[in-house]
Amino acid sequence: MENIVKKPLTRKKISLIIIGAFLLFFLGYYSIMSVLGPGKKLNEIKARFGSQQVSENITDVRFYTDSAYINLLKEKVFLQSKISMAETDSIYITLNVADSTANLEISGVTVHSARINDLKISRILRPGNDYVIPVMLASPMTIISDFASIKKEP
């Protein structure tokens, strides 16, 4: 009979096991959060900008899913945003995803127009949320702060 002698774990092996377990835990947590994050953000957007029914007026759900209504709503929101931006004296950019153009405008006059060749849309903004997105984008977005490696000259 042979005697099998077990070697005790050294500090190096213990530290490798602990680091490996920590990395495995971190990767698992990151994977789960990356899957759950977009759904949570979509629920926040729907809660803030989704259709809100008043108890007196019960609106038919088909009204908000009608493609003709959604297209008219998108066009109305786009034009209202352009009008509100044209009232300012600053330069702004309008992105028309349907026409694949980006226009640089001042007071409603297009100064430069460029074609958008490649466009990637987040899965949150894809079809299925047709009513929420136009309402969310109804007002123009403004830049609150910026960061650049080249100094901005007035």
Side-chain angles (χ1 to χ4, degrees), residues 87-106:
E87 291 173 351
T88 65
D89 61 344
S90 62
I91 191 167
Y92 56 91
I93 188 168
T94 58
L95 300 175
N96 192 340
V97 179
D99 294 339
S100 297
T101 58
N103 298 323
L104 198 59
E105 299 180 3
I106 300 174

Side-chain angles (χ1 to χ4, degrees), residues 3-141:
N3 290 338
I4 299 175
V5 178
K6 290 186 176 181
K7 295 181 182 178
L9 293 175
T10 62
R11 285 186 177 205
K12 187 176 180 181
K13 288 182 181 179
I14 291 173
S15 63
L16 285 175
I17 291 172
I18 291 172
I19 291 172
F22 178 74
L23 286 175
L24 187 64
F25 173 76
F26 177 76
L27 287 174
Y29 179 78
Y30 183 78
S31 299
I32 290 171
M33 290 300 130
S34 66
V35 169
L36 296 178
K40 184 177 178 183
K41 191 63 177 177
L42 180 60
N43 290 338
E44 287 177 17
I45 290 172
K46 282 183 179 179
R48 185 170 175 197
F49 298 105
S51 61
Q52 300 170 355
Q53 294 183 357
V54 180
S55 60
E56 299 170 359
N57 298 333
I58 299 175
T59 309
D60 192 3
V61 177
R62 292 177 290 172
F63 183 69
Y64 295 112
T65 57
D66 183 27
S67 62
Y69 172 74
I70 297 296
N71 289 336
L72 288 174
L73 180 67
K74 287 179 184 179
E75 186 70 23
K76 176 186 170 199
V77 166
F78 179 71
L79 293 175
Q80 281 179 336
S81 294
K82 281 185 73 167
I83 289 170
S84 65
M85 288 187 297
E87 291 173 351
T88 65
D89 61 344
S90 62
I91 191 167
Y92 56 91
I93 188 168
T94 58
L95 300 175
N96 192 340
V97 179
D99 294 339
S100 297
T101 58
N103 298 323
L104 198 59
E105 299 180 3
I106 300 174
S107 299
V109 178
T110 301
V111 178
H112 181 73
S113 182
R115 189 108 178 110
I116 299 173
N117 294 328
D118 188 25
L119 183 68
K120 293 182 182 178
I121 298 176
S122 173
R123 282 185 244 158
I124 290 177
L125 301 177
R126 297 218 175 155
N129 308 313
D130 288 333
Y131 181 75
V132 174
I133 302 306
V135 173
M136 182 178 73
L137 299 175
S139 61
M141 295 182 191

